[in-house]
Amino acid sequence: MAKIAFILLCHKDPDAIIKQAQSLTAVGDYMAIHFDARAKPQHYKKIRAALDDNPNVVFAQKRIKCGWGEWSLVQATIQAVRAAVDAFPRATHFYMLSGDCMAIKSAEYAHEFLDRRDCDYIESFDYFQSDWIKTGWKEERLIYRHWFNERTQKRRFYAMFEMQKRLGLKRAIPDDLEIMIGSQWWCLRRRTVEWILDFIGRRPDVMRFFRTTWIPDETFFQTLVRHLVPSHEIQSRTLTFLMFTDYGMPVTFYNDHYDLLLSQDFLFARKISPEATELKRRLGVLYSSEGARFQISNEGRSLFKFLTQKGRIGRRFATRFWETESTLGRERELLIVVCKKWHVAKRLLDRIRQMTNIPAIEYLFNEETCLLPDLGGIQSTMGKRHRHRRALMRMLFDYYETDRLIVCMDPANLDLLEDFGRDRSVTRLLEIECQFSDDYLIGHAMRVGLAGDRTPSETIQRLLPTVRNDMVHESDRIRDADFANHNRMREADTPEQNAKAIAAFLSLPEDKALELAKTEYLFAD
């Protein structure tokens, strides 16, 4: 049976640290604590007074003054790891934690999970080939020396960087190391930890190198584990559930996130709000419970992305300067079918193709696989289609040698609708308003990754009103935009009523429009 030694790095909130240590060690696991030497001395004394008598808790012999992005964070981790290895010979795994982390599974589940496979859990991606670093410095973190803290000594930090750059003072990466990068929240086996400590003693050159790299807590252990352990014994993932906003800030969890956290395929979560006292209480009770069963659906990240994106409605891409004055053509008509149920719009388009000679293209701005002619590469990726939207449409008009073209769009593409609506060409909209059953909404949530086969029914029932309201909101936004030539057909209306909207949209006689409105199984799911 696995026995976990938790490596806790912390610098504040002594009461929370005491409760965390008591909760995690109550079931027989261990903890080694490094409390930042910059923190308040009375806080450290309080923690020592509360935990010194706990045989399953040990403290790092040397406390380090820690700073973000510095080698000091790795130093502190090594100090805590050494203390844990010496004090707890029965520990089989060493799990890196912060004071903001809490278990989201029971100890029983965590031990069984670790027993299931003999491997190390640590994100370990190729430093230069992966896209783990999204923006900013990459090789500069390694080939230049960084002695100062970027946040507290910004002027010195960047002055030293610029001086080294001007003088060409680059350094080589140790020849036998392949630098890796990943999250600092790892879980390693005892054998791996002992190998790392032995390597540290044998390779002062590697220690000197990492000591002056920038943000080494994302590269040091990640590189050494990959260097020392066979790749088939490494799971390149973290067992701690964490998310970041678009601004690079960690997402904080509160009392109402309890069910969401339990359904994620992780053992711990970060960050738990200091104010989330009820969540902490429930998670603390859960860790010591027996027989708990967990329904893993793992939709947390997709749910967060879905919900936060709906709060930031705006243009995805700005117009390129060379397209500012471009137009589809004053004499042309762009006919846009707007429908959330793509299969309904496609059925109508198929019928329009049979009854008219107007070229019709399906969801070219939503489906990568939409069939398009070769237009020199501008149609090759979704990004290009969006960025060069007007140029793409002009080329399609030219390719089909027509002044009338039908396309389909999702109601979420309001930025596209507004862009084309402002063009000097004539733009007509046919919005198809469908009814959404609960079964359809559940299927939609699964298709877009908001839910999975194992998502608990309670979670789905809480999600359905949000998904339904989101669809209603998209329709309201289109209506509020007050487009000219905006026509609507509704699933709830009669074919005769819908024929009027189709006739106005396509400039067809009403008898032909009625045939289209009577398309068999048009609204069927």
Side-chain angles (χ1 to χ4, degrees):
M1 173 69 80
K3 299 279 282 185
I4 306 171
F6 295 103
I7 308 302
L8 179 65
L9 265 57
C10 48
H11 65 281
K12 60 180 181 179
D13 203 351
D15 292 328
I17 292 167
I18 292 167
K19 289 179 182 177
Q20 186 181 27
Q22 291 171 339
S23 172
L24 295 178
T25 59
V27 295
D29 286 324
Y30 311 108
M31 178 173 287
I33 299 176
H34 179 278
F35 195 72
D36 195 337
R38 295 184 191 275
K40 295 179 180 179
Q42 60 268 34
H43 287 177
Y44 182 63
K45 289 178 182 177
K46 185 174 185 179
I47 295 170
R48 291 298 301 250
L51 298 176
D52 267 344
D53 292 335
N54 188 328
N56 286 8
V57 175
V58 68
F59 291 85
Q61 289 188 353
K62 183 180 180 182
R63 293 171 60 206
I64 309 294
K65 292 182 178 180
C66 297
W68 183 86
E70 292 181 4
W71 170 252
S72 55
L73 288 173
V74 178
Q75 272 186 297
T77 306
I78 293 172
Q79 289 292 328
V81 167
R82 287 190 191 280
V85 169
D86 292 341
F88 309 125
R90 295 181 61 198
T92 61
H93 293 77
F94 295 76
Y95 197 121
M96 181 80 171
L97 288 178
S98 76
D100 298 319
C101 298
M102 282 206 73
I104 55 174
K105 299 290 187 294
S106 65
E108 181 182 63
Y109 180 96
H111 295 152
E112 290 174 358
F113 182 95
L114 295 175
D115 283 335
R116 224 172 286 159
R117 185 170 179 186
D118 185 22
C119 66
D120 298 304
Y121 295 91
I122 181 170
E123 281 190 349
S124 182
F125 302 105
D126 187 282
Y127 187 90
F128 295 100
Q129 300 301 319
S130 72
D131 64 346
W132 203 86
I133 299 175
K134 303 295 183 186
T135 59
W137 287 356
K138 201 163 194 175
E139 68 172 4
E140 292 88 348
R141 293 191 187 190
L142 305 175
I143 63 174
Y144 297 109
R145 295 167 177 83
H146 304 281
W147 291 282
F148 301 103
N149 187 290
E150 192 269 343
R151 291 190 175 179
T152 60
Q153 298 170 293
K154 192 175 290 288
R155 290 181 63 183
R156 290 181 177 179
F157 179 89
Y158 287 105
M160 289 301 299
F161 167 72
E162 291 297 338
M163 185 187 75
Q164 293 178 80
K165 194 174 176 183
R166 283 198 307 271
L167 297 175
L169 299 177
K170 295 182 181 179
R171 60 173 172 177
I173 296 168
D175 290 336
D176 60 333
L177 289 187
E178 182 181 359
I179 304 299
M180 310 301 287
I181 191 167
S183 167
Q184 63 269 52
W185 311 112
W186 40 254
C187 178
L188 304 177
R189 295 166 297 173
R190 185 180 194 92
R191 184 188 67 179
T192 302
V193 166
E194 289 174 344
W195 283 352
I196 290 173
L197 293 178
D198 177 65
F199 183 90
I200 288 171
R202 290 187 292 105
R203 293 294 300 271
D205 59 318
V206 173
M207 301 299 284
R208 281 195 302 271
F209 170 77
F210 277 107
R211 192 172 284 119
T212 52
T213 58
W214 190 41
I215 321 182
D217 54 316
E218 293 179 351
T219 55
F220 180 77
F221 289 100
Q222 296 77 1
T223 300
L224 265 57
V225 170
R226 185 67 66 172
H227 181 75
L228 297 168
V229 178
S231 58
H232 67 272
E233 295 183 18
I234 301 172
Q235 281 284 296
S236 187
R237 59 160 293 189
T238 175
L239 297 181
T240 299
F241 179 59
L242 66 162
M243 297 189 294
F244 290 90
T245 68
D246 288 349
Y247 305 102
M249 300 300 292
V251 174
T252 301
F253 299 107
Y254 296 91
N255 290 333
D256 55 349
H257 287 126
Y258 179 79
D259 292 325
L260 171 75
L261 292 176
L262 264 58
S263 65
Q264 305 312 304
D265 187 21
F266 297 86
L267 304 183
F268 281 74
R270 181 179 189 272
K271 291 182 152 185
I272 307 297
S273 168
E275 287 78 36
T277 52
E278 178 61 15
L279 175 62
K280 290 182 176 182
R281 184 194 66 78
R282 295 177 73 184
L283 292 177
V285 171
L286 175 69
Y287 191 72
S288 58
S289 66
E290 294 182 1
R293 294 292 173 262
F294 301 90
Q295 192 84 14
I296 305 299
S297 53
N298 217 31
E299 77 287 354
R301 289 194 173 100
S302 55
L303 268 176
F304 176 76
K305 183 179 179 182
F306 169 75
L307 294 172
T308 53
Q309 280 183 342
K310 298 309 170 187
R312 294 192 305 277
I313 298 166
R315 292 286 297 274
R316 177 65 178 88
F317 294 101
T319 305
R320 299 302 196 227
F321 70 90
W322 62 79
E323 294 187 348
T324 302
E325 297 301 324
S326 67
T327 178
L328 305 185
R330 196 180 295 274
E331 312 302 324
R332 287 170 166 169
E333 282 188 46
L334 178 61
L335 309 174
I336 305 176
V337 177
V338 182
C339 185
K340 196 66 182 179
K341 289 187 177 181
W342 294 2
H343 61 278
V344 174
K346 290 178 180 181
R347 283 182 197 142
L348 182 62
L349 241 64
D350 189 52
R351 190 76 174 120
I352 290 173
R353 289 192 191 101
Q354 296 172 21
M355 297 182 60
T356 74
N357 60 356
I358 307 172
I361 302 172
E362 295 175 356
Y363 286 85
L364 75 164
F365 292 109
N366 302 99
E367 287 187 304
E368 193 90 50
T369 55
C370 173
L371 290 176
L372 290 171
D374 187 351
L375 302 174
I378 196 173
Q379 84 295 340
S380 59
T381 68
M382 196 63 68
K384 288 183 178 180
R385 295 179 202 174
H386 279 258
R387 284 196 296 274
H388 311 302
R389 57 189 70 163
R390 291 197 187 189
L392 174 65
M393 298 308 297
R394 284 200 310 273
M395 295 173 77
L396 287 171
F397 273 106
D398 293 339
Y399 178 86
Y400 289 108
E401 299 180 349
T402 183
D403 286 333
R404 303 186 79 202
L405 181 69
I406 306 174
V407 298
C408 292
M409 291 189 194
D410 191 279
N413 296 133
L414 182 62
D415 60 331
L416 295 173
L417 298 176
E418 289 178 328
D419 194 8
F420 291 128
R422 288 191 295 266
D423 192 79
R424 289 197 293 271
S425 63
V426 176
T427 303
R428 300 184 191 278
L429 266 61
L430 177 65
E431 184 183 359
I432 305 177
E433 295 183 7
C434 301
Q435 296 176 337
F436 302 105
S437 66
D438 285 355
D439 287 341
Y440 175 83
L441 293 177
I442 292 170
H444 174 75
M446 290 183 174
R447 285 190 294 274
V448 299
L450 299 178
D453 294 336
R454 298 181 178 180
T455 302
S457 58
E458 298 83 1
T459 301
I460 289 178
Q461 291 307 314
R462 287 198 302 273
L463 179 62
L464 286 185
T466 303
V467 177
R468 189 184 300 278
N469 290 338
D470 179 64
M471 293 182 177
V472 172
H473 178 57
E474 288 176 348
S475 181
D476 287 343
R477 288 170 61 209
I478 293 173
R479 195 169 304 178
D480 292 341
D482 198 24
F483 291 106
N485 307 313
H486 183 186
N487 306 280
R488 293 186 197 86
M489 59 182 290
R490 301 175 177 85
E491 183 175 358
D493 287 351
T494 64
E496 289 74 19
Q497 291 172 306
N498 287 333
K500 294 179 181 179
I502 295 173
F505 175 65
L506 294 174
S507 303
L508 285 179
E510 285 207 14
D511 58 334
K512 268 197 167 185
L514 184 58
E515 280 190 65
L516 289 169
K518 288 183 176 179
T519 299
E520 197 171 5
Y521 305 118
L522 177 61
F523 292 101
D525 289 334

